[in-house]
Every structure is written in C-alpha cells, then in structure tokens.
Amino acid sequence: MEIKGEILDIIYKNEINSYTIATFRTDEEETTVVGYLPFINVGDTLRVNGVFVEHQEYGRQFKIGTFEKIMPQTLESLERYLANGMIKGIGPATAKKIVETFGENTINIFKFEPEKLAQIKGITEEKAISIAEEFVANWEIWQLVGFLEKFGIGPQSAEKIYKTLGQNAIEEIEANPYILVDLVNKVDFTQIDKMALDIGIEYNNDKRIKSGIKYALRLATYNGHCTVMYENLVEFVSNLLGVEKELAEDNIINLKAKNEIILEERELEGKTEEWAYLEEYYNAEKNIAEKLIRLRDSRNIKKISGFDKKIKALEKQTDIELSDKQLEAIKAINDNNICVITGGPGTGKTTIIKTILELYKQEGKKVVLCAPTGRAAKRMSETTGEDAKTLHRLLELGKIVSDDNQEINTELAITPIDADIIIIDEVSMVDIFLMNYLLKGVYQGSKLILVGDVDQLPSVGPGNVLKDIINSQEIVTIVLNKIFRQAAKSKIILNSHKVNEGISFIGEEYEKDILEDFFYINENDKAKILDNIISLSTGRLKKYGDYDFLKNIQVITPTKKGELGTKELNKILQEKINSFNIEKKEKKYGDVIFRENDRIMQIKNNYDIYWEKHLEQTEYGSGVFNGEFGTIVKINDSEKQIKIKFDDEKIAWYQYTDLEQIEHAYAITVHKAQRKWIWCSTNANITIITNVINKKFIIYWHDKS
C-alpha cells in the first residue's frame, strides 16, 4: 500500500540506525508511521510503501517498507520544509516571506530564477544565488544520501561524493559501485562488492580487482602501515576476491603503469623484497626523506660563536648543571640544521628545550615551539613559560586530513615558518602526512629539532616517523638514557623504564605508603577489577586528598569493546559519577545519553566549529580537534544544541547533528591517553590516574602475565 504525506512531528528517532516513529499527515488523516527513515526532518514530504498494523499498546500504525522523499505538495508544507533549518540563511520568518511572495512558483524560483529571491527583505542578490544553490544541492545530496545508506555510508561522505561526481552521482555508482572505494575511506568493501556482483559485474572484471587492490592497501594504512609486501598483497587480494593470483598481479602492474600505486624494491637482511604503496603514501614518505636530507646537508648552519663559554654562563645564570648527554645534545643542535633528541620520561628532554630556548633568545634568534596536539602544546607552554602552538596552527593549515587521518588535501598552500629554530615536541605522535606538511614549511637554513620518546605508542595515523628517522641513522640523534635524581624519586618514571626493559615493577605493594606515586594491584578477576575501578573513582581515594573524579581522575583501558572497554566503563562510571537528576537535562543519541556535567572528548578534527574564550578579554576562533576534553555545560532542546566548555577554556555550541563528534571521557583508550599527555603502561588493562593537584598517580591494571 502507498500513502503520501508530510512529517508533522518526530516522536522518536534512533540516531544510530534511524528507526523512527513520526506523526504523518496525508490528505485524509493524521497517522503514526514507524520504520527506518534516515535523514528525515519535520516538514519533509514522503511517498511511503508499507502496511497498516495494530500495535498492542499504541494502536493503529503504518509500518514503512520503502519510502521516497518528494517535493512538498502544498504551500504550507513547503513553508515548513524551508523553515526546518536545512538551508543556511532561511529561518521560519524568511521561509514565510518567500512562500507568501512566490506562492506556487516558489520551487521554480529556486531552480530557475534564483535572483528573484533578492526581492525578499534581507536577501541580497549574492545571498539569493547561494540559497538557491544550496536548496538544489541539498535535494540532490539527499537523494544520494538515501541511495548510499544501504552501503552504510553517511551524509558527510555523500556530500564529498556529490562534489566529485556531480548530478549524475547515483547513475555512475550504479554503473560502477567500486568508485566508492576511491572516494570513501573505511568503506565496507564486501557490501560494495556484493552490489557490483548483483548488477552483473563479473568476478574477473578489472575494475573489481583493481578496487580490491586499493582496498587492501588502504586497509593496511588504517592499521598504521604505509606499505605492504608485494607477495602479501597478492595473497590477500586473491583470497578476498576469489580470483587467481595471476589476475591480481596483472592488475597491480596496470595500476603501477598509471602511477596509482608504487612498487619499490628493498633489501633487508640480504634479501630483496618488493613493496607496494598507494601513490599519496609513497610521495609523502619520499618528500619527507628528501627534505630531511636537504636540511641535513645544507651548508647554511646558524652556529652560535663562543658556544662553550655561553653555555657555562647560562648554567650559572639558571643554576642548572647539565649532564654530559645534555651538553652533547645542545652542541649537536648548534652544529647541525636538524637533529633528534629522544629519551624516556625523566631523562632531561625538557631541560634541553628550555636551555636551547634561552640560549637562542639571548642571541636575538626567533625560536618556535610546537607539538602535534593541543594538549601537548599546552604542556610545552607550561614547562617552558613560552607560547607553544599546535602544528596545525603553526602552519596555518585548514583541513590537512580527514577525521580518520586518510584524506589528503594536496592543494593546500603551506605557510612558511618564520623562525631560526623550530622545536617539535612529542614527535612520536606525528604521522607521515603531518610531517610532510611540516617539512614543506621549514625554510632551508632553519634549525629543526625533533624531540620525543620513541618507546611511546606510534601515531594514530599511518607511519612511525620518529622511529624510522632514528633507525635510518642518517640524522644526528642523541639518546638520553639517564634518569635524573629528581625524576628518579617517581616510581612512575622508574617503572616506565622497567616496562621497556621487560623488568618487573617496583612498588607492588598498595596503600602502604601514600607518599609514593605508583601503586600496583595484581588482579585477574574482571568483576573484582570493575569493583575496584568503581570504588577508586567514587570515594576510596578521599582519605588521601580531596579528589574529584571530573577534575583529577582518569580511567584508561587499551580497548573500546568488552566488559572493561571504554564503551561499558563510560556507561557505568557516568551513572556513578553523574547520575540521572531531574534538574540535569539529557540528550539521547543512539544508545548513548549525554547529560549536563558529563565529561566528554572530541574524537574528530573539526576546523569549522566556532568558539569563544571569556578571559580578561573575550577571544574568538574556530576549530576543535581530536583528543580535546571538555564538560557539557548546557543542553538546549529548543535550539537542539549542546554547550561544551573545553579544558583550555574555549566554549563551543554543538548542534545535535554534531554529536557523532564527541564521546564520554570517564574512560579513555591508551592511545587517547597518550594524546592527553598522561603517562601509562602499554601493558595496562585498566588504569586510574589522578594527576591534577599534586601529581599523584593511582595505577591499576590487569596483569596479563
């Protein structure tokens, strides 16, 4: 049965699977419709197919099988459609004026005579064109969105696909579904492959095999790898597609001929192996290597004259006695345009940075400090007393990569870094793309100092840049391995080194001496582990200090899934720490409840979110980045917005449609913890850390031995 009408009200919608209960008005009646309706808003007009059913509790409902979004059929419904907020520049008042002015001809005005919209007060000719273009594009994108939903591809990707393929996007995808593998990262290849086979594309079709090859290479990058051994690639593609290895090899050669993939021979341990790259990953690695060598070999080295004498004077001035290794590092920086300083916690990296900073400032040189994340940059500023920027801000980059660190914008104009010496901290977090863009911004003759702990987890994105640079032995590298006396007082630092050395922890006793900063509980029972996490988080630590979970305690775990993964822990801890209260507003998003006073974390780079900082002078800016932490201050249902205050004092408003960008942060993964500048053991199963007031750490984990 087919009925046609308008969505008057959305009673319920599951944001994850789009199951919707809505009030639907036809020409004859108002009824309740139920079914899966992705990307539907109040005011939308639909043609739906299905059957009427009798619900035991809610009575007569129309159960939707399939649906189609159509243009509004009445002026009233058209006005509601224009007023639903989907078109920038049109609110309820403007929508009313447009419909009153143009009546039955409104849609044609948008499509064919957009300049006439300027007749409406407040709409300029330029704005009229922009509004009309958005109206038409939104409609076409929506059609595409609905089409792509069956592939599990969301609206953000749909917009990108539309920009690439244009008005004929659906037709092109239907003719060759494998286009989506090139256009969408982390796409479900098996779904696309099934559709392609269903429409008659043969198993041995070159489009299918080439797409499978690219998918295999992208799959490797999602795990942090830039390249795949040729033999392994052929084997994987053959098994994935169910084709002969010879066909996979033939298509690899064809892709190589078109420079869509790169094959390179390497000799390792006396054996020559062939490796395959996607072109953009190969070029990024190649550019990095070439620029590093050019920096290394440049004869324009800005050395400080009278170096030894000035260092001694600085030691006396700052009352710091530098170790032999620290002096070696500082001398290496003076003698070279590029060098690496690496070492674990407590080995004196920060002292070197501060010394270099002061030494070059005294010489009248410009020193720039930066780090890959906002947290790391903030910490760098705190330890040096000087301003430190993120690499994104330093280079004045817009969108370098997509949220999953895969999309490359090759048309960006890199802002050269105006500095005599550039110091990058936490380089282990830098992937190949960010390093590539950084090096494009370094003037020939500037000094570049890379600082980091090679034993930390590698970057979330592809590549292990710091480790590879060190292992190449082409760049001067100073390895710091002495733990300084002050740092040696911390069992956190001592044990971090013991982890790297494979030695048992010291301090396996717990709560015997609260003056210690490291405590270890050996527990293998998951239920007991959970009980301990809850008790430590909700009051057990009160006898040692006024610890507030939201300010002072962080739970860390290696995984997202499982009984002790972030997903389950966040649900439990939210109920314990920030439980339901009638005075606290909530917003349900899928199976997640966001509540006022919740601790949250940004999980995607968003360069477009505007924010304010209300300090002595109000600051304005844009951009919230992956790994930033904050608190939900207010939930506004009428405006469908959530107000978030981040740890660096910026305040941003998120639309309900933006909630996919945040998640609870009562418990976070080890990778996110590293980005947050919290030390932890990579062997830890669950970690609880307090570190804000007096740097005490309470460490708890499941012993995997």
Side-chain angles (χ1 to χ4, degrees), residues 164-197:
T164 304
L165 302 179
Q167 297 178 346
N168 298 321
I170 292 176
E171 290 80 358
E172 289 197 38
I173 294 168
E174 285 179 331
N176 179 20
Y178 296 112
I179 295 174
L180 295 173
V181 177
D182 287 332
L183 295 176
V184 184
N185 294 310
K186 297 189 178 179
V187 71
D188 187 343
F189 180 84
T190 56
Q191 240 179 327
I192 291 173
D193 194 40
K194 183 179 183 303
M195 176 186 175
L197 294 172

Side-chain angles (χ1 to χ4, degrees), residues 393-532:
R393 290 293 179 231
L394 176 69
L395 298 169
E396 297 181 10
L397 294 176
K399 298 176 181 178
I400 299 179
V401 296
S402 68
D403 294 324
D404 56 11
N405 294 311
Q406 303 299 319
E407 179 184 334
I408 315 302
N409 187 344
T410 56
E411 298 179 355
L412 289 172
I414 303 298
T415 301
I417 304 169
D418 180 19
D420 296 295
I421 183 167
I422 306 157
I423 304 176
I424 318 291
D425 203 3
E426 292 296 308
V427 179
S428 66
M429 297 183 188
V430 178
D431 65 25
I432 60 167
F433 296 124
L434 192 52
M435 178 59 73
N436 187 28
Y437 281 102
L438 165 67
L439 293 173
K440 286 181 179 180
V442 178
Y443 279 123
Q444 200 74 13
S446 296
K447 288 182 181 290
L448 179 63
I449 314 305
L450 305 177
V451 183
D453 183 357
V454 75
D455 291 317
Q456 282 194 354
L457 294 173
S459 63
V460 176
N464 197 343
V465 175
L466 180 62
K467 191 172 185 177
D468 287 345
I469 291 173
I470 294 171
N471 289 344
S472 74
Q473 299 182 358
E474 295 291 336
I475 304 300
V476 173
T477 299
I478 307 300
V479 180
L480 306 174
N481 46 32
K482 177 186 176 182
I483 303 174
F484 285 85
R485 188 180 303 147
Q486 191 62 34
K489 295 178 182 179
S490 168
K491 287 185 177 178
I492 300 166
I493 291 176
L494 292 175
N495 281 313
S496 70
H497 288 272
K498 288 185 176 295
V499 169
N500 290 333
E501 296 165 9
I503 302 173
S504 298
F505 300 119
I506 57 173
E508 296 190 6
E509 71 282 357
Y510 180 66
E511 294 185 2
K512 290 182 180 179
D513 183 2
I514 198 57
L515 295 176
E516 300 290 352
D517 61 3
F518 182 101
F519 304 95
Y520 175 68
I521 305 174
N522 188 347
E523 180 59 70
N524 292 291
D525 185 274
K526 290 183 180 179
K528 291 180 180 178
I529 290 174
L530 185 58
D531 287 344
N532 271 288

Side-chain angles (χ1 to χ4, degrees), residues 609-610 634 636 641-644 651-655 658:
I609 290 182
Y610 285 91
K634 185 177 181 180
N636 189 329
Q641 291 181 326
I642 289 182
K643 182 181 181 182
I644 298 174
I651 296 170
W653 285 96
Y654 282 60
Q655 302 295 323
D658 296 327

Side-chain angles (χ1 to χ4, degrees), residues 334-376:
N334 188 53
D335 293 341
N336 297 275
N337 274 340
I338 180 169
C339 66
V340 174
I341 310 299
T342 185
T347 56
K349 297 190 299 294
T350 299
T351 299
I352 292 172
I353 293 173
K354 291 167 71 174
T355 303
I356 287 294
L357 181 63
E358 186 60 34
L359 183 65
Y360 276 79
K361 279 176 62 180
Q362 290 181 5
E363 292 291 306
K365 304 297 185 182
K366 186 174 181 179
V367 183
V368 167
L369 305 178
C370 56
T373 68
R375 282 275 175 176

